[in-house]
Amino acid sequence: MADSSFDIVSKVERQEVDNALNQAAKEISQRYDFKGTDASISWQGEKILMQANGEERVKAILDIFETKLIKRGISLKSLDAGEPQLSGKEYKIFATIEEGISQENAKKVAKVIRDEGPKGVKAQVQGDELRVSSKSRDDLQAVQQLLKGKDFDFAIQFVNYR
């Protein structure tokens, strides 16, 4: 009997991020506390730029955007937002969406599987994802439950379960 396997990845649906950004921009344009403040949120290449005329306002924009991401099912662990920076008369926050599991994070996950997971489960790093395989599907499900219970500082999803 062949081994069963699944992949552990860290991916974000770009369209969902775009939808969250558009919803946040619409809310910012309609809220009374942002009227006349030149507050905005937009894509700046691969980064997301939030700007307003006050530090508290730009933090409020970030909060609105995070709320929209959560509603769309995107983990905030994949959002890397910087600190507010004063640029001229405006405060700006640059944020990026992190994707892929780095080598060191993949090694952390593999170590957790080795140390705490069922015996006979193998974890193998493949680029920016991790392949977990075992003869028993029950063991694979136990590994998924184990990893869901852990609090990593990056988002993980399980795909290609076969």
Side-chain angles (χ1 to χ4, degrees), residues 33-35 37 39 52-62:
D33 55 339
F34 287 115
K35 292 283 186 224
T37 61
N53 63 0
E55 188 173 356
E56 294 305 314
R57 284 204 174 101
V58 79
K59 286 181 179 176
I61 293 171
L62 178 61

Side-chain angles (χ1 to χ4, degrees), residues 8 38 52 63 106 109 120 126 131:
I8 301 172
D38 294 332
D63 187 51
V109 175
Q126 296 181 332
R131 165 91 24 108

Side-chain angles (χ1 to χ4, degrees), residues 15-61:
Q15 185 61 51
E16 290 297 324
V17 174
D18 205 33
N19 290 343
L21 187 132
N22 290 334
Q23 285 180 336
K26 186 173 184 179
E27 182 173 326
I28 290 163
S29 71
Q30 293 175 345
R31 275 183 36 177
Y32 69 92
D33 55 339
F34 287 115
K35 292 283 186 224
T37 61
D38 294 332
S40 67
I41 181 170
S42 61
W43 285 106
Q44 193 85 26
E46 283 297 306
K47 293 185 175 186
I48 297 165
L49 170 65
M50 293 162 260
Q51 57 189 24
N53 63 0
E55 188 173 356
E56 294 305 314
R57 284 204 174 101
V58 79
K59 286 181 179 176
I61 293 171

Side-chain angles (χ1 to χ4, degrees), residues 107-121 123 138-152:
K107 287 177 184 171
K108 283 183 199 172
V109 175
K111 183 172 177 9
V112 166
I113 293 170
R114 251 193 337 271
D115 295 348
E116 301 175 33
K119 300 289 178 233
V121 175
D138 292 341
D139 287 350
L140 292 180
Q141 289 175 339
V143 167
Q144 285 184 353
Q145 290 305 315
L146 170 73
L147 294 178
K148 284 179 185 173
K150 295 288 178 188
D151 187 30
F152 296 110

Side-chain angles (χ1 to χ4, degrees), residues 40-105:
S40 67
I41 181 170
S42 61
W43 285 106
Q44 193 85 26
E46 283 297 306
K47 293 185 175 186
I48 297 165
L49 170 65
M50 293 162 260
Q51 57 189 24
N53 63 0
E55 188 173 356
E56 294 305 314
R57 284 204 174 101
V58 79
K59 286 181 179 176
I61 293 171
L62 178 61
D63 187 51
I64 292 168
F65 184 54
E66 287 174 344
T67 304
K68 300 299 181 189
L69 287 174
I70 291 169
K71 284 185 181 174
R72 295 212 155 264
I74 297 171
S75 172
L76 292 183
K77 292 178 182 178
S78 59
L79 178 69
D80 182 24
E83 290 297 311
Q85 300 168 339
L86 183 61
S87 172
K89 293 182 179 178
E90 291 193 323
Y91 281 88
K92 295 181 179 185
I93 294 179
F94 286 99
T96 55
I97 302 294
E98 307 265 326
E99 286 192 296
I101 300 176
S102 70
Q103 289 290 334
E104 65 185 53
N105 287 339

